[in-house]
Amino acid sequence: MKIGFYFNDNGVCKLPDGTFCAVEGDEVINLTKTDYLINPEVAALCVLQVKSTMVSYLPIMMGLPNAALVTMAFILFSLVRSTVIDAGIDFQGVLYIAGPQGVGKTSLARRIAGFVFRCDDTQVRPALFFDSGSTLSAIRDAMANNRDLPIIVDDLCMSASQSTERKRLELAAQIVREAANAAEIVKKAPGGREVHLRCLASVLLTAEFTLDNLSDLTRCIIAPVLEPLKLSDDFDANFISSLARTFLEYFLKNAENLLVELCNDIASQESIPALEECDQERVRTNLLTLRWAFKIMLHALDLTSDQYDRLLAHFDNALHESVSMLNDQIRRLKADVAEGNIAYILLCGYRNNCFKLLKNQSKLEKLYKKDGVIFEGDLCLRSASLESFVRRQNGYQKYNLGKIVNELLDYGALCIQEEGTKQVKLTKKKGVPRVYRIKISVLEEKSELY
């Protein structure tokens, strides 16, 4: 009787003797002198089928645009994803190829992630490719059943219809949360029973927009494509397949040491200039993991030290661009979200000396040169200064003076002298402008941080 292994899933496996192998569709890499069987559904996929061997990877990779480098590192990582997560790395990321229509986002995704196809498909099309019209159920099935393989969700585009665009945004956000395992994949089983699954694959999305929720956005590794991509004809599925096999073979032989290295990088929060502007811990973990995968590839190619340094510098530049776009999108989101109510922001403005206040209240004739004054313990602001300050705060750009004043009235924060005006005179002297007299004690009482 033959004794061997039965592999039920794709991806990296640790064997009883402590070595590692990888099931890649219909073959097993780094497993010798042992019989094995592969689940027929897994074996129906052809993965890493190299048709030609590249003479030199260096010229092609040095000429790649930044988005292609980040995407390539994500694809390499996807081949060892389960092992990295099992090692305790809290990787929560999807690749988000973002840019306007017609710049080559789909072409990039197909070239880099399209090396997985069905063995019986005569057209050799990417097997794990879904467009925005695909059902969420089909996408979820692929996410739960294709361990350590990349899945493409393509063409999340803008729409003239606000309702359609909103649905696409919601679809993208849902996929991001489930792909990053921030939310379980919940499916209905026969009989109405719910089945709870986790995403085992790595997901790439191509989209014309970025997400409008901060927690979703920080689960995205953004590969910005703002201008039409120029990709070498040699940069195709064969190239990626050959490169991925080289990467995977090196990883399998050195897995234990490489995983320890990654854990140390994450724990020490290695200082890298490309990530200096990244203050989101989740994003740093994701990007450090991609950088680790890219470095493994460089070692696997047995480059000279100069070649290694040049390619790593090229990749770090790509990481910096990714961080910059993410920060731009975070600023965009924060600009639309108020930090607190008007009482809170006015109190902060006063305490942080944001107003140019008249220091000597006995010289009120000079008030027209200032934003306001502290008068008998109250914050007194000229109308233009009050409106300008509030409208500069995140979430208040569309407020007008009337709305600001009405909210202050609702708090009971305004001192009113006469009917018909909410402003007051601080003196009978001519030329002294009216002001809004705001009780600081009421601001303190009504202040609310969101």
Side-chain angles (χ1 to χ4, degrees):
M1 181 178 65
K2 290 185 177 181
I3 298 176
F5 294 103
Y6 177 75
F7 296 104
N8 198 45
D9 296 298
N10 197 85
V12 175
C13 302
K14 188 173 184 179
L15 301 174
D17 64 359
T19 62
F20 289 81
C21 69
V23 180
E24 299 301 331
D26 59 348
E27 67 171 324
V28 182
I29 298 175
N30 204 42
L31 182 67
T32 59
K33 299 179 181 179
T34 304
D35 291 316
Y36 63 85
L37 290 174
I38 302 174
N39 181 328
E41 292 185 10
V42 174
L45 294 176
C46 288
V47 184
L48 305 186
Q49 302 294 310
V50 182
K51 295 182 180 179
S52 61
T53 302
M54 302 303 303
V55 175
S56 176
Y57 295 97
L58 186 65
I60 295 175
M61 286 194 289
M62 282 304 301
L64 288 177
N66 287 340
L69 280 178
V70 173
T71 304
M72 185 170 67
F74 183 82
I75 294 304
L76 296 176
F77 159 76
S78 73
L79 300 174
V80 299
R81 178 182 182 274
S82 60
T83 307
V84 168
I85 292 175
D86 288 345
I89 302 301
D90 187 23
F91 184 89
Q92 295 185 48
V94 304
L95 189 77
Y96 205 93
I97 304 175
Q101 186 178 13
V103 292
K105 301 185 299 294
T106 299
S107 176
L108 174 63
R110 280 182 175 272
R111 288 204 196 192
I112 297 186
F115 56 81
V116 182
F117 56 92
R118 299 207 171 275
C119 297
D120 59 357
D121 187 349
T122 57
Q123 298 186 46
V124 193
R125 295 165 299 186
L128 303 177
F129 183 94
F130 302 87
D131 60 34
S132 57
S134 302
T135 66
L136 183 56
S137 177
I139 296 171
R140 283 170 164 168
D141 282 341
M143 289 162 58
N145 295 321
N146 291 281
R147 181 174 178 264
D148 289 357
L149 287 177
I151 292 173
I152 303 170
V153 181
D154 184 53
D155 199 26
L156 293 161
C157 58
M158 307 292 282
S159 172
S161 165
Q162 288 188 350
S163 62
T164 300
E165 190 163 310
R166 172 51 50 186
K167 288 179 181 177
R168 288 174 180 167
L169 264 170
E170 291 172 354
L171 172 65
Q174 185 69 23
I175 291 172
V176 165
R177 286 191 290 271
E178 293 179 359
N181 284 313
E184 288 186 320
I185 299 171
V186 181
K187 297 191 63 180
K188 290 290 186 182
R193 181 173 59 90
E194 285 189 349
V195 178
H196 295 254
L197 305 171
R198 289 180 63 78
C199 177
L200 301 178
S202 294
V203 178
L204 298 82
L205 297 96
T206 71
E208 293 180 13
F209 52 80
T210 51
L211 303 180
D212 57 4
N213 180 283
L214 183 60
S215 65
D216 296 333
L217 187 60
T218 56
R219 290 184 170 90
C220 294
I221 299 167
I222 299 181
V225 183
L226 305 179
E227 298 179 352
L229 289 172
K230 297 179 181 179
L231 300 174
S232 165
D233 291 339
D234 292 326
F235 184 67
D236 57 13
N238 288 336
F239 173 86
I240 293 298
S241 182
S242 175
L243 187 66
R245 180 178 289 272
T246 302
F247 163 87
L248 193 52
E249 288 174 348
Y250 184 89
F251 173 83
L252 296 173
K253 293 175 182 177
N254 303 278
E256 293 285 5
N257 290 334
L258 293 172
L259 290 169
V260 169
E261 179 184 312
L262 175 58
C263 291
N264 290 338
D265 286 350
I266 301 297
S268 66
Q269 287 294 298
E270 183 182 357
S271 178
I272 299 168
L275 303 182
E276 284 181 354
E277 297 175 8
C278 180
D279 57 5
Q280 299 286 330
E281 183 177 351
R282 179 189 297 142
V283 178
R284 284 187 63 86
T285 297
N286 291 343
L287 296 184
L288 281 171
T289 303
L290 288 201
R291 191 174 190 267
W292 166 83
F294 191 83
K295 289 193 297 182
I296 292 175
M297 179 204 70
L298 298 183
H299 286 298
L301 295 179
D302 196 24
L303 303 173
T304 66
S305 60
D306 178 64
Q307 292 169 335
Y308 178 97
D309 291 343
R310 287 168 58 199
L311 275 173
L312 187 57
H314 188 17
F315 182 72
D316 281 347
N317 183 59
L319 287 186
H320 182 266
E321 185 176 83
S322 177
V323 170
S324 294
M325 183 168 184
L326 177 69
N327 286 340
D328 287 344
Q329 296 305 309
I330 290 175
R331 283 190 286 269
R332 173 184 63 83
L333 291 182
K334 288 184 175 180
D336 295 331
V337 178
E339 185 178 0
N341 63 4
I342 284 182
Y344 173 83
I345 65 170
L346 284 176
L347 187 62
C348 287
Y350 163 64
R351 288 175 173 172
N352 294 326
N353 299 316
C354 296
F355 302 108
K356 295 179 180 178
L357 299 178
L358 185 67
K359 294 181 180 180
N360 189 346
Q361 68 180 47
S362 67
K363 296 184 179 181
L364 292 174
E365 65 275 8
K366 295 183 179 181
L367 185 57
Y368 72 94
K369 296 181 179 181
K370 300 291 184 177
D371 293 328
V373 64
I374 297 298
F375 188 82
E376 296 180 353
D378 295 331
L379 176 63
C380 302
L381 295 175
R382 296 171 59 202
S383 59
S385 300
L386 173 61
E387 182 178 18
S388 174
F389 174 77
V390 172
R391 286 169 61 91
R392 289 198 305 270
Q393 309 310 307
N394 291 340
Y396 290 97
Q397 294 89 336
K398 296 181 180 179
Y399 267 53
N400 57 33
L401 183 61
K403 191 171 183 179
I404 296 166
V405 171
N406 285 337
E407 289 201 22
L408 290 172
L409 281 172
D410 290 342
Y411 299 149
L414 285 183
C415 296
I416 306 296
Q417 281 181 337
E418 56 190 85
E419 293 293 330
T421 178
K422 310 297 188 301
Q423 298 183 76
V424 300
K425 292 181 178 179
L426 298 179
T427 179
K428 293 182 179 179
K429 293 181 180 180
K430 292 183 178 181
V432 177
R434 288 175 177 266
V435 293
Y436 290 99
R437 185 169 176 174
I438 305 167
K439 302 172 185 176
I440 294 176
S441 60
V442 175
L443 293 183
E444 291 173 338
E445 178 187 346
K446 300 295 184 179
S447 176
E448 182 180 350
L449 176 64
Y450 296 152

